[in-house]
Amino acid sequence: MTKTVKSPINGYKVKTFDGGFRSKSMVSINQFTKASQINKLFAVAKRMERIVKARKPNKILNEVTIAELFYQPSTRTFTSFLAAARWLGCQRVIAIPGMTAYSSVVKGESLRDTIQSIEQTTACDAIIIRHPENNSAYEAANFASVPILNGGSGKLEHPTQAVLDLYTIYRKMGKMKGLKVGMLGDLKYGRTVKSLAKILTVVDKNPNFYFISPKVLKMPREEIKLLKQRGAEVTETENLKKVLGDLDVLYVTRIQKEWFKTAAQQRLYKKLKGQYIISPKLLKKAKKKMIVMHPLPRVGEISYEVDEDSRAVYFEEMRMGLYTRMALLGLLTGKIK
Ligand code: NCD
């Protein structure tokens, strides 16, 4: 029987990665059910790393056509997917970074119609999508006949970011379990932290999380409940200094300004922003081998001086996105076995 993962919103289903990646969508981090799936993916990512480091692009995706539809701004996810496709010889990438400005979405077209239209007009083999609604990638996968790759949906999921973040931990720390992982900032609206915490429970039966945030931006209760069910130990605090010295990984995030919509919320945003700033002075309290990660963009929460610190890995982290997205495109289209 094919195992599936159900959307928490309306019951749309996607297949788990049991039995492999070929022809499947990557919509939710919950599709990863076993560490062996991640090991497989990372073995391919290492091969991709060698291709890029040797500057030897190849033709693995030569026959493939890919569409990229972004309904939210992006610097890294958009370009690294585009570059990943091209490093693997994809000749036909139809990439639209401004769906909300330039497509018929402006005229009120629904997501299901857009997805089915793009499939027809481009004859694509896969669609990469970023969208502000939580259910968007599930919906797209439900109406597409080709794999959907979720480049970030709403406040809940950013599975390809979690893959690159975990790959960064693996490459930098040499292991993925037994680590004390601190997640700092906007844990309420941020999607990267939710996906990363969940993928860590697949590779570590007893992960140790420190969720550090202002009270109003705490990790949602249902996420905490799920992580605990999966064996995680969770410490929640507002006090970064108290726990900093214990951490092996510090994953920093920005306060997600776009979700603070009303005048009162905007006032709250101004109050919250600047509450945590990672500086060289603060990092004196951290372990020498701790790594500082950030999905970026940063808007002041890590000072530029920290970039010189060998523990700052957020620039390399983006490059890991190129390698892991090459691996994902190859595996999901079935061109890499
Ligand atoms: C993140 C996102 O879109 O969720 N960006 C990214 O993909 N690296 C993080 C953010 O916007 O804060």
Side-chain angles (χ1 to χ4, degrees), residues 72-78 130 151-154 157-158 160-161 164 189-192 251 253-256 258 294-298 301 317-318 325:
Q72 284 182 305
S74 170
T75 302
R76 283 148 288 274
T77 309
F78 186 79
R130 166 173 286 194
S153 51
E157 294 260 16
H158 197 343
T160 69
Q161 179 74 36
L164 81 88
Y189 298 118
R191 53 195 175 195
T192 64
Y251 189 95
T253 65
R254 75 182 166 94
I255 312 292
Q256 307 273 305
E258 58 273 39
H294 194 310
L296 298 186
R298 65 175 152 183
E301 59 281 347
E317 188 179 338
M318 298 177 218
R325 286 176 175 130

PDB file of all heavy atoms in Angstrom, residues 72-78 130 151-154 157-158 160-161 164 189-192 251 253-256 258 294-298 301 317-318 325, ligand 1:
ATOM      1  N   GLN A  72       5.780  34.774  -4.124  1.00  0.00           N
ATOM      2  CA  GLN A  72       6.358  35.578  -3.040  1.00  0.00           C
ATOM      3  C   GLN A  72       7.800  35.896  -3.430  1.00  0.00           C
ATOM      4  O   GLN A  72       8.416  35.150  -4.194  1.00  0.00           O
ATOM      5  CB  GLN A  72       6.409  34.768  -1.732  1.00  0.00           C
ATOM      6  CG  GLN A  72       5.089  34.596  -1.019  1.00  0.00           C
ATOM      7  CD  GLN A  72       5.294  33.809   0.278  1.00  0.00           C
ATOM      8  OE1 GLN A  72       5.833  32.718   0.277  1.00  0.00           O
ATOM      9  NE2 GLN A  72       4.858  34.389   1.386  1.00  0.00           N
ATOM     10  N   PRO A  73       8.354  36.984  -2.867  1.00  0.00           N
ATOM     11  CA  PRO A  73       9.730  37.353  -3.211  1.00  0.00           C
ATOM     12  C   PRO A  73      10.732  36.277  -2.801  1.00  0.00           C
ATOM     13  O   PRO A  73      10.470  35.488  -1.890  1.00  0.00           O
ATOM     14  CB  PRO A  73       9.982  38.620  -2.387  1.00  0.00           C
ATOM     15  CG  PRO A  73       8.670  39.064  -1.870  1.00  0.00           C
ATOM     16  CD  PRO A  73       7.750  37.908  -1.882  1.00  0.00           C
ATOM     17  N   SER A  74      11.858  36.245  -3.488  1.00  0.00           N
ATOM     18  CA  SER A  74      12.893  35.261  -3.175  1.00  0.00           C
ATOM     19  C   SER A  74      14.223  35.707  -3.776  1.00  0.00           C
ATOM     20  O   SER A  74      14.253  36.225  -4.891  1.00  0.00           O
ATOM     21  CB  SER A  74      12.507  33.910  -3.769  1.00  0.00           C
ATOM     22  OG  SER A  74      13.586  33.006  -3.683  1.00  0.00           O
ATOM     23  N   THR A  75      15.293  35.522  -3.041  1.00  0.00           N
ATOM     24  CA  THR A  75      16.634  35.721  -3.595  1.00  0.00           C
ATOM     25  C   THR A  75      17.280  34.365  -3.832  1.00  0.00           C
ATOM     26  O   THR A  75      17.745  34.062  -4.932  1.00  0.00           O
ATOM     27  CB  THR A  75      17.515  36.525  -2.610  1.00  0.00           C
ATOM     28  OG1 THR A  75      16.898  37.776  -2.341  1.00  0.00           O
ATOM     29  CG2 THR A  75      18.915  36.757  -3.183  1.00  0.00           C
ATOM     30  N   ARG A  76      17.305  33.527  -2.810  1.00  0.00           N
ATOM     31  CA  ARG A  76      18.060  32.275  -2.836  1.00  0.00           C
ATOM     32  C   ARG A  76      17.308  31.106  -3.460  1.00  0.00           C
ATOM     33  O   ARG A  76      17.848  30.394  -4.319  1.00  0.00           O
ATOM     34  CB  ARG A  76      18.478  31.884  -1.399  1.00  0.00           C
ATOM     35  CG  ARG A  76      19.638  32.677  -0.863  1.00  0.00           C
ATOM     36  CD  ARG A  76      19.530  32.859   0.640  1.00  0.00           C
ATOM     37  NE  ARG A  76      18.456  33.801   0.916  1.00  0.00           N
ATOM     38  CZ  ARG A  76      18.615  35.118   0.933  1.00  0.00           C
ATOM     39  NH1 ARG A  76      19.792  35.633   0.784  1.00  0.00           N
ATOM     40  NH2 ARG A  76      17.579  35.943   1.119  1.00  0.00           N
ATOM     41  N   THR A  77      16.094  30.865  -3.004  1.00  0.00           N
ATOM     42  CA  THR A  77      15.386  29.666  -3.452  1.00  0.00           C
ATOM     43  C   THR A  77      15.174  29.720  -4.968  1.00  0.00           C
ATOM     44  O   THR A  77      15.425  28.745  -5.681  1.00  0.00           O
ATOM     45  CB  THR A  77      14.036  29.531  -2.717  1.00  0.00           C
ATOM     46  OG1 THR A  77      14.286  29.654  -1.312  1.00  0.00           O
ATOM     47  CG2 THR A  77      13.383  28.192  -2.988  1.00  0.00           C
ATOM     48  N   PHE A  78      14.748  30.892  -5.447  1.00  0.00           N
ATOM     49  CA  PHE A  78      14.473  31.038  -6.879  1.00  0.00           C
ATOM     50  C   PHE A  78      15.734  30.815  -7.718  1.00  0.00           C
ATOM     51  O   PHE A  78      15.751  30.019  -8.653  1.00  0.00           O
ATOM     52  CB  PHE A  78      13.887  32.429  -7.158  1.00  0.00           C
ATOM     53  CG  PHE A  78      13.445  32.611  -8.580  1.00  0.00           C
ATOM     54  CD1 PHE A  78      12.242  32.088  -9.021  1.00  0.00           C
ATOM     55  CD2 PHE A  78      14.253  33.282  -9.488  1.00  0.00           C
ATOM     56  CE1 PHE A  78      11.833  32.238 -10.334  1.00  0.00           C
ATOM     57  CE2 PHE A  78      13.854  33.432 -10.811  1.00  0.00           C
ATOM     58  CZ  PHE A  78      12.643  32.908 -11.231  1.00  0.00           C
ATOM     59  N   ARG A 130       6.428  28.704  -5.077  1.00  0.00           N
ATOM     60  CA  ARG A 130       6.441  29.380  -3.761  1.00  0.00           C
ATOM     61  C   ARG A 130       5.178  30.208  -3.676  1.00  0.00           C
ATOM     62  O   ARG A 130       4.837  30.934  -4.612  1.00  0.00           O
ATOM     63  CB  ARG A 130       7.670  30.270  -3.616  1.00  0.00           C
ATOM     64  CG  ARG A 130       7.545  31.232  -2.450  1.00  0.00           C
ATOM     65  CD  ARG A 130       8.795  32.018  -2.160  1.00  0.00           C
ATOM     66  NE  ARG A 130       9.802  31.175  -1.517  1.00  0.00           N
ATOM     67  CZ  ARG A 130      10.887  31.651  -0.921  1.00  0.00           C
ATOM     68  NH1 ARG A 130      11.113  32.944  -0.876  1.00  0.00           N
ATOM     69  NH2 ARG A 130      11.761  30.839  -0.355  1.00  0.00           N
ATOM     70  N   GLY A 151       8.722  25.371  -2.845  1.00  0.00           N
ATOM     71  CA  GLY A 151       9.798  26.307  -2.504  1.00  0.00           C
ATOM     72  C   GLY A 151       9.399  27.253  -1.384  1.00  0.00           C
ATOM     73  O   GLY A 151       9.938  28.356  -1.268  1.00  0.00           O
ATOM     74  N   GLY A 152       8.461  26.812  -0.552  1.00  0.00           N
ATOM     75  CA  GLY A 152       7.997  27.624   0.567  1.00  0.00           C
ATOM     76  C   GLY A 152       6.508  27.876   0.426  1.00  0.00           C
ATOM     77  O   GLY A 152       6.069  28.469  -0.560  1.00  0.00           O
ATOM     78  N   SER A 153       5.721  27.390   1.414  1.00  0.00           N
ATOM     79  CA  SER A 153       4.274  27.631   1.369  1.00  0.00           C
ATOM     80  C   SER A 153       3.834  28.200   2.705  1.00  0.00           C
ATOM     81  O   SER A 153       4.030  27.584   3.749  1.00  0.00           O
ATOM     82  CB  SER A 153       3.521  26.335   1.053  1.00  0.00           C
ATOM     83  OG  SER A 153       3.923  25.296   1.911  1.00  0.00           O
ATOM     84  N   GLY A 154       3.271  29.382   2.673  1.00  0.00           N
ATOM     85  CA  GLY A 154       2.698  30.022   3.855  1.00  0.00           C
ATOM     86  C   GLY A 154       3.641  30.078   5.020  1.00  0.00           C
ATOM     87  O   GLY A 154       4.839  30.353   4.864  1.00  0.00           O
ATOM     88  N   GLU A 157       5.500  25.388   5.827  1.00  0.00           N
ATOM     89  CA  GLU A 157       6.403  24.415   5.190  1.00  0.00           C
ATOM     90  C   GLU A 157       7.431  25.083   4.281  1.00  0.00           C
ATOM     91  O   GLU A 157       7.079  25.972   3.483  1.00  0.00           O
ATOM     92  CB  GLU A 157       5.599  23.431   4.318  1.00  0.00           C
ATOM     93  CG  GLU A 157       4.675  22.520   5.091  1.00  0.00           C
ATOM     94  CD  GLU A 157       5.233  21.116   5.308  1.00  0.00           C
ATOM     95  OE1 GLU A 157       6.460  20.894   5.141  1.00  0.00           O
ATOM     96  OE2 GLU A 157       4.415  20.238   5.635  1.00  0.00           O
ATOM     97  N   HIS A 158       8.664  24.632   4.384  1.00  0.00           N
ATOM     98  CA  HIS A 158       9.712  25.011   3.423  1.00  0.00           C
ATOM     99  C   HIS A 158      10.659  23.811   3.328  1.00  0.00           C
ATOM    100  O   HIS A 158      11.809  23.855   3.785  1.00  0.00           O
ATOM    101  CB  HIS A 158      10.426  26.273   3.893  1.00  0.00           C
ATOM    102  CG  HIS A 158      11.219  26.978   2.832  1.00  0.00           C
ATOM    103  ND1 HIS A 158      11.575  26.365   1.644  1.00  0.00           N
ATOM    104  CD2 HIS A 158      11.713  28.246   2.769  1.00  0.00           C
ATOM    105  CE1 HIS A 158      12.261  27.249   0.919  1.00  0.00           C
ATOM    106  NE2 HIS A 158      12.357  28.381   1.566  1.00  0.00           N
ATOM    107  N   THR A 160      12.423  22.174   1.023  1.00  0.00           N
ATOM    108  CA  THR A 160      13.752  22.139   0.380  1.00  0.00           C
ATOM    109  C   THR A 160      14.764  22.946   1.189  1.00  0.00           C
ATOM    110  O   THR A 160      15.950  22.653   1.183  1.00  0.00           O
ATOM    111  CB  THR A 160      13.718  22.621  -1.096  1.00  0.00           C
ATOM    112  OG1 THR A 160      13.447  24.020  -1.150  1.00  0.00           O
ATOM    113  CG2 THR A 160      12.687  21.861  -1.905  1.00  0.00           C
ATOM    114  N   GLN A 161      14.278  23.951   1.921  1.00  0.00           N
ATOM    115  CA  GLN A 161      15.166  24.700   2.825  1.00  0.00           C
ATOM    116  C   GLN A 161      15.621  23.791   3.970  1.00  0.00           C
ATOM    117  O   GLN A 161      16.787  23.788   4.350  1.00  0.00           O
ATOM    118  CB  GLN A 161      14.430  25.932   3.376  1.00  0.00           C
ATOM    119  CG  GLN A 161      15.256  26.769   4.354  1.00  0.00           C
ATOM    120  CD  GLN A 161      16.350  27.591   3.691  1.00  0.00           C
ATOM    121  OE1 GLN A 161      16.175  28.089   2.589  1.00  0.00           O
ATOM    122  NE2 GLN A 161      17.496  27.723   4.355  1.00  0.00           N
ATOM    123  N   LEU A 164      18.362  21.555   2.759  1.00  0.00           N
ATOM    124  CA  LEU A 164      19.673  22.211   2.647  1.00  0.00           C
ATOM    125  C   LEU A 164      20.226  22.568   4.018  1.00  0.00           C
ATOM    126  O   LEU A 164      21.437  22.525   4.246  1.00  0.00           O
ATOM    127  CB  LEU A 164      19.609  23.429   1.708  1.00  0.00           C
ATOM    128  CG  LEU A 164      19.085  24.776   2.209  1.00  0.00           C
ATOM    129  CD1 LEU A 164      20.184  25.631   2.820  1.00  0.00           C
ATOM    130  CD2 LEU A 164      18.474  25.531   1.042  1.00  0.00           C
ATOM    131  N   TYR A 189       5.580  32.514  12.943  1.00  0.00           N
ATOM    132  CA  TYR A 189       5.286  32.706  11.517  1.00  0.00           C
ATOM    133  C   TYR A 189       6.338  32.078  10.600  1.00  0.00           C
ATOM    134  O   TYR A 189       6.085  31.877   9.413  1.00  0.00           O
ATOM    135  CB  TYR A 189       5.179  34.199  11.202  1.00  0.00           C
ATOM    136  CG  TYR A 189       4.067  34.907  11.925  1.00  0.00           C
ATOM    137  CD1 TYR A 189       4.332  35.946  12.816  1.00  0.00           C
ATOM    138  CD2 TYR A 189       2.729  34.542  11.717  1.00  0.00           C
ATOM    139  CE1 TYR A 189       3.304  36.617  13.481  1.00  0.00           C
ATOM    140  CE2 TYR A 189       1.701  35.205  12.382  1.00  0.00           C
ATOM    141  CZ  TYR A 189       1.995  36.236  13.258  1.00  0.00           C
ATOM    142  OH  TYR A 189       0.989  36.892  13.916  1.00  0.00           O
ATOM    143  N   GLY A 190       7.529  31.819  11.119  1.00  0.00           N
ATOM    144  CA  GLY A 190       8.611  31.290  10.271  1.00  0.00           C
ATOM    145  C   GLY A 190       8.318  29.860   9.835  1.00  0.00           C
ATOM    146  O   GLY A 190       7.882  29.030  10.631  1.00  0.00           O
ATOM    147  N   ARG A 191       8.561  29.569   8.569  1.00  0.00           N
ATOM    148  CA  ARG A 191       8.280  28.203   8.082  1.00  0.00           C
ATOM    149  C   ARG A 191       9.537  27.338   8.099  1.00  0.00           C
ATOM    150  O   ARG A 191       9.459  26.120   8.210  1.00  0.00           O
ATOM    151  CB  ARG A 191       7.677  28.260   6.678  1.00  0.00           C
ATOM    152  CG  ARG A 191       8.488  29.070   5.670  1.00  0.00           C
ATOM    153  CD  ARG A 191       7.650  29.383   4.441  1.00  0.00           C
ATOM    154  NE  ARG A 191       8.352  30.261   3.500  1.00  0.00           N
ATOM    155  CZ  ARG A 191       7.750  30.904   2.510  1.00  0.00           C
ATOM    156  NH1 ARG A 191       6.446  30.804   2.355  1.00  0.00           N
ATOM    157  NH2 ARG A 191       8.433  31.668   1.689  1.00  0.00           N
ATOM    158  N   THR A 192      10.723  27.979   7.983  1.00  0.00           N
ATOM    159  CA  THR A 192      11.948  27.175   7.887  1.00  0.00           C
ATOM    160  C   THR A 192      12.192  26.384   9.173  1.00  0.00           C
ATOM    161  O   THR A 192      12.601  25.230   9.128  1.00  0.00           O
ATOM    162  CB  THR A 192      13.175  28.056   7.596  1.00  0.00           C
ATOM    163  OG1 THR A 192      13.392  28.940   8.694  1.00  0.00           O
ATOM    164  CG2 THR A 192      12.994  28.871   6.331  1.00  0.00           C
ATOM    165  N   TYR A 251      20.313  28.443  15.031  1.00  0.00           N
ATOM    166  CA  TYR A 251      19.624  28.743  13.777  1.00  0.00           C
ATOM    167  C   TYR A 251      18.802  30.014  13.990  1.00  0.00           C
ATOM    168  O   TYR A 251      17.802  30.012  14.705  1.00  0.00           O
ATOM    169  CB  TYR A 251      18.726  27.554  13.410  1.00  0.00           C
ATOM    170  CG  TYR A 251      18.122  27.626  12.026  1.00  0.00           C
ATOM    171  CD1 TYR A 251      18.740  27.000  10.948  1.00  0.00           C
ATOM    172  CD2 TYR A 251      16.927  28.302  11.790  1.00  0.00           C
ATOM    173  CE1 TYR A 251      18.190  27.055   9.672  1.00  0.00           C
ATOM    174  CE2 TYR A 251      16.369  28.361  10.516  1.00  0.00           C
ATOM    175  CZ  TYR A 251      17.012  27.723   9.464  1.00  0.00           C
ATOM    176  OH  TYR A 251      16.463  27.773   8.198  1.00  0.00           O
ATOM    177  N   THR A 253      16.541  33.351  12.863  1.00  0.00           N
ATOM    178  CA  THR A 253      15.562  33.747  11.831  1.00  0.00           C
ATOM    179  C   THR A 253      15.146  35.195  12.049  1.00  0.00           C
ATOM    180  O   THR A 253      15.272  35.726  13.151  1.00  0.00           O
ATOM    181  CB  THR A 253      14.287  32.873  11.860  1.00  0.00           C
ATOM    182  OG1 THR A 253      13.607  33.094  13.116  1.00  0.00           O
ATOM    183  CG2 THR A 253      14.610  31.398  11.712  1.00  0.00           C
ATOM    184  N   ARG A 254      14.626  35.788  10.994  1.00  0.00           N
ATOM    185  CA  ARG A 254      14.129  37.168  11.102  1.00  0.00           C
ATOM    186  C   ARG A 254      12.684  37.150  11.589  1.00  0.00           C
ATOM    187  O   ARG A 254      11.985  36.138  11.440  1.00  0.00           O
ATOM    188  CB  ARG A 254      14.230  37.875   9.745  1.00  0.00           C
ATOM    189  CG  ARG A 254      13.175  37.442   8.771  1.00  0.00           C
ATOM    190  CD  ARG A 254      13.295  38.087   7.402  1.00  0.00           C
ATOM    191  NE  ARG A 254      12.427  37.324   6.497  1.00  0.00           N
ATOM    192  CZ  ARG A 254      11.164  37.645   6.213  1.00  0.00           C
ATOM    193  NH1 ARG A 254      10.623  38.743   6.714  1.00  0.00           N
ATOM    194  NH2 ARG A 254      10.423  36.895   5.412  1.00  0.00           N
ATOM    195  N   ILE A 255      12.241  38.274  12.162  1.00  0.00           N
ATOM    196  CA  ILE A 255      10.813  38.418  12.463  1.00  0.00           C
ATOM    197  C   ILE A 255      10.118  38.630  11.113  1.00  0.00           C
ATOM    198  O   ILE A 255      10.529  39.486  10.327  1.00  0.00           O
ATOM    199  CB  ILE A 255      10.552  39.633  13.396  1.00  0.00           C
ATOM    200  CG1 ILE A 255      11.509  39.655  14.603  1.00  0.00           C
ATOM    201  CG2 ILE A 255       9.091  39.669  13.839  1.00  0.00           C
ATOM    202  CD1 ILE A 255      11.349  38.580  15.623  1.00  0.00           C
ATOM    203  N   GLN A 256       9.078  37.827  10.854  1.00  0.00           N
ATOM    204  CA  GLN A 256       8.450  37.787   9.528  1.00  0.00           C
ATOM    205  C   GLN A 256       7.466  38.954   9.360  1.00  0.00           C
ATOM    206  O   GLN A 256       6.243  38.784   9.488  1.00  0.00           O
ATOM    207  CB  GLN A 256       7.738  36.444   9.336  1.00  0.00           C
ATOM    208  CG  GLN A 256       8.624  35.235   9.608  1.00  0.00           C
ATOM    209  CD  GLN A 256       9.412  34.792   8.381  1.00  0.00           C
ATOM    210  OE1 GLN A 256       8.838  34.532   7.326  1.00  0.00           O
ATOM    211  NE2 GLN A 256      10.732  34.694   8.516  1.00  0.00           N
ATOM    212  N   GLU A 258       6.006  40.473   7.062  1.00  0.00           N
ATOM    213  CA  GLU A 258       4.855  40.444   6.152  1.00  0.00           C
ATOM    214  C   GLU A 258       3.561  39.939   6.791  1.00  0.00           C
ATOM    215  O   GLU A 258       2.473  40.153   6.265  1.00  0.00           O
ATOM    216  CB  GLU A 258       5.178  39.638   4.887  1.00  0.00           C
ATOM    217  CG  GLU A 258       5.601  38.186   5.087  1.00  0.00           C
ATOM    218  CD  GLU A 258       7.102  38.003   5.326  1.00  0.00           C
ATOM    219  OE1 GLU A 258       7.711  38.833   6.036  1.00  0.00           O
ATOM    220  OE2 GLU A 258       7.662  37.001   4.828  1.00  0.00           O
ATOM    221  N   HIS A 294      21.393  30.681   9.277  1.00  0.00           N
ATOM    222  CA  HIS A 294      20.285  31.618   9.038  1.00  0.00           C
ATOM    223  C   HIS A 294      19.800  31.346   7.609  1.00  0.00           C
ATOM    224  O   HIS A 294      20.622  31.278   6.704  1.00  0.00           O
ATOM    225  CB  HIS A 294      20.778  33.070   9.188  1.00  0.00           C
ATOM    226  CG  HIS A 294      19.671  34.092   9.286  1.00  0.00           C
ATOM    227  ND1 HIS A 294      18.621  34.151   8.389  1.00  0.00           N
ATOM    228  CD2 HIS A 294      19.451  35.088  10.186  1.00  0.00           C
ATOM    229  CE1 HIS A 294      17.802  35.142   8.746  1.00  0.00           C
ATOM    230  NE2 HIS A 294      18.280  35.727   9.825  1.00  0.00           N
ATOM    231  N   PRO A 295      18.498  31.191   7.411  1.00  0.00           N
ATOM    232  CA  PRO A 295      18.029  30.927   6.032  1.00  0.00           C
ATOM    233  C   PRO A 295      18.176  32.176   5.151  1.00  0.00           C
ATOM    234  O   PRO A 295      18.158  32.055   3.927  1.00  0.00           O
ATOM    235  CB  PRO A 295      16.562  30.552   6.214  1.00  0.00           C
ATOM    236  CG  PRO A 295      16.151  31.220   7.486  1.00  0.00           C
ATOM    237  CD  PRO A 295      17.381  31.228   8.368  1.00  0.00           C
ATOM    238  N   LEU A 296      18.300  33.329   5.796  1.00  0.00           N
ATOM    239  CA  LEU A 296      18.327  34.636   5.149  1.00  0.00           C
ATOM    240  C   LEU A 296      17.007  34.892   4.405  1.00  0.00           C
ATOM    241  O   LEU A 296      16.350  33.950   4.029  1.00  0.00           O
ATOM    242  CB  LEU A 296      19.542  34.777   4.221  1.00  0.00           C
ATOM    243  CG  LEU A 296      20.927  34.676   4.895  1.00  0.00           C
ATOM    244  CD1 LEU A 296      21.999  34.989   3.861  1.00  0.00           C
ATOM    245  CD2 LEU A 296      21.081  35.593   6.091  1.00  0.00           C
ATOM    246  N   PRO A 297      16.579  36.100   4.171  1.00  0.00           N
ATOM    247  CA  PRO A 297      17.295  37.342   4.411  1.00  0.00           C
ATOM    248  C   PRO A 297      17.413  37.709   5.901  1.00  0.00           C
ATOM    249  O   PRO A 297      16.505  37.400   6.673  1.00  0.00           O
ATOM    250  CB  PRO A 297      16.426  38.377   3.698  1.00  0.00           C
ATOM    251  CG  PRO A 297      15.035  37.809   3.762  1.00  0.00           C
ATOM    252  CD  PRO A 297      15.220  36.327   3.644  1.00  0.00           C
ATOM    253  N   ARG A 298      18.533  38.368   6.250  1.00  0.00           N
ATOM    254  CA  ARG A 298      18.653  38.917   7.606  1.00  0.00           C
ATOM    255  C   ARG A 298      18.306  40.393   7.532  1.00  0.00           C
ATOM    256  O   ARG A 298      18.598  41.048   6.526  1.00  0.00           O
ATOM    257  CB  ARG A 298      20.062  38.709   8.160  1.00  0.00           C
ATOM    258  CG  ARG A 298      21.140  39.457   7.424  1.00  0.00           C
ATOM    259  CD  ARG A 298      22.510  39.328   8.085  1.00  0.00           C
ATOM    260  NE  ARG A 298      23.563  39.465   7.080  1.00  0.00           N
ATOM    261  CZ  ARG A 298      24.855  39.337   7.351  1.00  0.00           C
ATOM    262  NH1 ARG A 298      25.268  39.057   8.578  1.00  0.00           N
ATOM    263  NH2 ARG A 298      25.749  39.472   6.395  1.00  0.00           N
ATOM    264  N   GLU A 301      19.374  40.952  12.485  1.00  0.00           N
ATOM    265  CA  GLU A 301      19.494  40.059  13.657  1.00  0.00           C
ATOM    266  C   GLU A 301      20.855  39.360  13.764  1.00  0.00           C
ATOM    267  O   GLU A 301      21.155  38.778  14.813  1.00  0.00           O
ATOM    268  CB  GLU A 301      18.318  39.078  13.743  1.00  0.00           C
ATOM    269  CG  GLU A 301      18.100  38.145  12.585  1.00  0.00           C
ATOM    270  CD  GLU A 301      17.408  38.796  11.397  1.00  0.00           C
ATOM    271  OE1 GLU A 301      16.870  39.903  11.537  1.00  0.00           O
ATOM    272  OE2 GLU A 301      17.428  38.203  10.315  1.00  0.00           O
ATOM    273  N   GLU A 317      25.798  27.895   3.663  1.00  0.00           N
ATOM    274  CA  GLU A 317      24.467  27.259   3.741  1.00  0.00           C
ATOM    275  C   GLU A 317      23.694  27.451   2.424  1.00  0.00           C
ATOM    276  O   GLU A 317      23.070  26.523   1.915  1.00  0.00           O
ATOM    277  CB  GLU A 317      23.733  27.909   4.920  1.00  0.00           C
ATOM    278  CG  GLU A 317      22.421  27.322   5.342  1.00  0.00           C
ATOM    279  CD  GLU A 317      21.859  28.110   6.545  1.00  0.00           C
ATOM    280  OE1 GLU A 317      22.615  28.793   7.286  1.00  0.00           O
ATOM    281  OE2 GLU A 317      20.633  28.049   6.731  1.00  0.00           O
ATOM    282  N   MET A 318      23.796  28.652   1.843  1.00  0.00           N
ATOM    283  CA  MET A 318      23.080  28.905   0.572  1.00  0.00           C
ATOM    284  C   MET A 318      23.629  28.026  -0.541  1.00  0.00           C
ATOM    285  O   MET A 318      22.886  27.539  -1.383  1.00  0.00           O
ATOM    286  CB  MET A 318      23.300  30.333   0.100  1.00  0.00           C
ATOM    287  CG  MET A 318      22.825  31.376   0.986  1.00  0.00           C
ATOM    288  SD  MET A 318      23.316  32.928   0.201  1.00  0.00           S
ATOM    289  CE  MET A 318      23.758  33.848   1.641  1.00  0.00           C
ATOM    290  N   ARG A 325      19.358  21.044  -4.192  1.00  0.00           N
ATOM    291  CA  ARG A 325      18.268  21.227  -5.176  1.00  0.00           C
ATOM    292  C   ARG A 325      18.606  20.522  -6.492  1.00  0.00           C
ATOM    293  O   ARG A 325      17.717  20.021  -7.177  1.00  0.00           O
ATOM    294  CB  ARG A 325      17.957  22.709  -5.348  1.00  0.00           C
ATOM    295  CG  ARG A 325      17.215  23.209  -4.119  1.00  0.00           C
ATOM    296  CD  ARG A 325      16.923  24.675  -4.108  1.00  0.00           C
ATOM    297  NE  ARG A 325      16.121  24.971  -2.930  1.00  0.00           N
ATOM    298  CZ  ARG A 325      16.372  25.937  -2.057  1.00  0.00           C
ATOM    299  NH1 ARG A 325      17.402  26.751  -2.227  1.00  0.00           N
ATOM    300  NH2 ARG A 325      15.588  26.108  -0.999  1.00  0.00           N
TER     301      ARG A 325
HETATM  302  C1  NCD B   1      13.007  31.970   4.000  1.00  0.00           C
HETATM  303  C2  NCD B   1      11.566  31.817   3.566  1.00  0.00           C
HETATM  304  O1  NCD B   1      11.193  32.181   2.458  1.00  0.00           O
HETATM  305  O2  NCD B   1      10.821  31.260   4.363  1.00  0.00           O
HETATM  306  N1  NCD B   1      13.885  32.351   2.981  1.00  0.00           N
HETATM  307  C3  NCD B   1      14.554  31.403   2.253  1.00  0.00           C
HETATM  308  O3  NCD B   1      13.984  30.668   1.485  1.00  0.00           O
HETATM  309  N2  NCD B   1      15.870  31.302   2.436  1.00  0.00           N
HETATM  310  C4  NCD B   1      13.199  32.744   5.237  1.00  0.00           C
HETATM  311  C5  NCD B   1      12.587  34.085   5.420  1.00  0.00           C
HETATM  312  O4  NCD B   1      11.966  34.646   4.515  1.00  0.00           O
HETATM  313  O5  NCD B   1      12.747  34.629   6.511  1.00  0.00           O
END
